[in-house]
Amino acid sequence: MAEAQAHALSNAYDRVEANGSVLANPYVDMVSGQIIVPAATADGHAIGSAPLAGTAYLSLGGVDWTLPGEYTGDDTDEDAEGPAGPSEEYAFTPHVSDVTNSYATLSTITQEVVTLDTTQLPGANAIISAGAWPERNQVLITANAVSSEMRQALAQRYGTNSIVIWLNPDATRLETHDTRNNDNDDYVNGGGRFVSNAGSQCTMGFAWNQGGERRIVTAGHCLPDDVTFGTIPYGLRLYSTWKDGTGSVRLPGKSTTHGDSALVSMLNPKKPTASIFVGSATSASKRPVRRSWTRRAMPGDLYCVGGATSGQICNYEVGITEESFPMNNPDGSYSGGKSVGPLCESIFTDIDDVRRAYGGDVMKRR
């Protein structure tokens, strides 16, 4: 979709989340180009039809991953945003359709169905993931085996118009744990390996500015909130959106889950820096972080991953967004992708969810 549409759809998600009992999951009609904000009640019509307007940044996507700017050597603790690049104003008046299931209803099903065990639902161990299907106003449940008992139990629990099952015998639960090489100077870069005091080997995310405090973001499953260990050699866990055996959990004061992330404070002399490792798993090359993604990830967006084991792999394409997974796998605000590279699938927490979970934003360098 065009960037203007993608930005407008991202804004529509904000509106729907704030009015989850009267609106339903938005989407773009790719034939007409309209932004669709469905209403689940009569009150939702006026809320859903209000114009969506703002600024769309036009240089977010692309297929050229060889941009200039790599460097080796010294880092800094700068936090200054680079040029925004070309942009355009947009304004869309959403089309409001009538639907049965609200955003709140579909979200509840999505988050619950992946936590059920076989005592609660026959065949629950065959459920791989669940996510909203906005165009059909249903929850799409992916399973690698389906029985008549499962179908009947799902229908009895959620009704016959709220869910649809995709039988995919090859579907498997995705693994989320990575390992990394050591980042051993006084500055902590994104993409570097760390080991928690529980022995978990994980990958650092982005440096984070939270109200003037310099932090760093990592995976919540590396520093879950329900266990006593919350440290890495150079930092201390402040918050985590992940609980072992449960998946994504709500932070205090939050009404929804925000994926799988943890916020870490730095211990002297370590400092976060606005850069990230690029290249192979043994590469010393880094790239400065110029800007932060200005909207949610949308189907069709391209992205790279950069792990200590995998190195940099590009040309992943965002597939199904806002997907939930069973216990011990991510459960909450995730996006699924596919790749033409050696790793066929990946999952990630949208940076927009990290912003909404903790406040603040990615640290940047000019």
Side-chain angles (χ1 to χ4, degrees), residues 25-239:
N25 304 66
Y27 60 96
V28 170
D29 184 326
M30 297 306 291
V31 175
S32 67
Q34 286 183 308
I35 309 295
I36 313 297
V37 180
T41 69
D43 294 338
H45 273 263
I47 299 171
S49 61
L52 297 162
T55 303
Y57 295 93
L58 306 179
S59 300
L60 296 181
V63 297
D64 182 6
W65 307 104
T66 61
L67 299 175
E70 291 186 16
Y71 70 99
T72 58
D74 295 340
D75 292 305
T76 76
D77 56 2
E78 176 184 355
D79 185 19
E81 193 161 9
S87 64
E88 68 179 20
E89 300 304 306
Y90 66 86
F92 289 85
T93 299
H95 172 73
V96 180
S97 59
D98 292 310
V99 295
T100 302
N101 300 308
S102 69
Y103 171 83
T105 297
L106 296 185
S107 294
T108 297
I109 296 172
T110 297
Q111 295 177 24
E112 180 185 270
V113 70
V114 294
T115 69
L116 301 177
D117 59 35
T118 54
T119 66
Q120 300 166 298
L121 179 76
N125 57 336
I127 292 178
I128 302 304
S129 64
W133 190 347
E135 293 83 351
R136 288 187 55 153
N137 190 231
Q138 292 177 311
V139 171
L140 174 65
I141 297 172
T142 301
N144 56 25
V146 177
S147 65
S148 58
E149 291 80 11
M150 174 200 282
R151 291 159 57 101
Q152 182 177 9
L154 286 169
Q156 290 173 341
R157 193 177 192 100
Y158 301 120
T160 58
N161 295 319
S162 299
I163 60 171
V164 60
I165 303 171
W166 175 26
L167 172 59
N168 180 1
D170 297 326
T172 58
R173 297 186 180 185
L174 300 175
E175 297 296 331
T176 63
H177 295 278
D178 293 320
T179 59
R180 295 210 134 236
N181 291 326
N182 191 35
D183 183 16
N184 55 20
D185 62 9
D186 286 346
Y187 287 94
V188 180
N189 297 272
R193 180 179 68 94
F194 74 90
V195 181
S196 75
N197 66 357
S200 299
Q201 299 186 72
C202 293
T203 300
M204 271 300 173
F206 291 99
W208 199 261
N209 189 332
Q210 186 196 42
E213 296 292 335
R214 307 300 176 84
R215 319 287 198 193
I216 201 159
V217 173
T218 186
H221 62 261
C222 291
L223 299 171
D225 77 340
D226 58 322
V227 292
T228 55
F229 70 82
T231 60
I232 56 180
Y234 38 77
L236 177 67
R237 179 197 63 212
L238 295 174
Y239 305 100

Side-chain angles (χ1 to χ4, degrees), residues 10-24 26 47 103-104 255-256 296 356:
S10 182
N11 287 352
Y13 267 106
D14 292 335
R15 179 179 300 175
V16 169
E17 285 189 350
N19 300 276
S21 63
V22 299
L23 298 177
I47 299 171
Y103 171 83
S255 60
T256 187
R296 290 172 172 82
R356 288 185 287 141

Side-chain angles (χ1 to χ4, degrees), residues 294-313:
T294 55
R295 57 165 172 79
R296 290 172 172 82
M298 295 295 171
D301 287 341
L302 299 179
Y303 66 96
C304 297
V305 298
T309 298
S310 66
Q312 179 179 317
I313 303 174

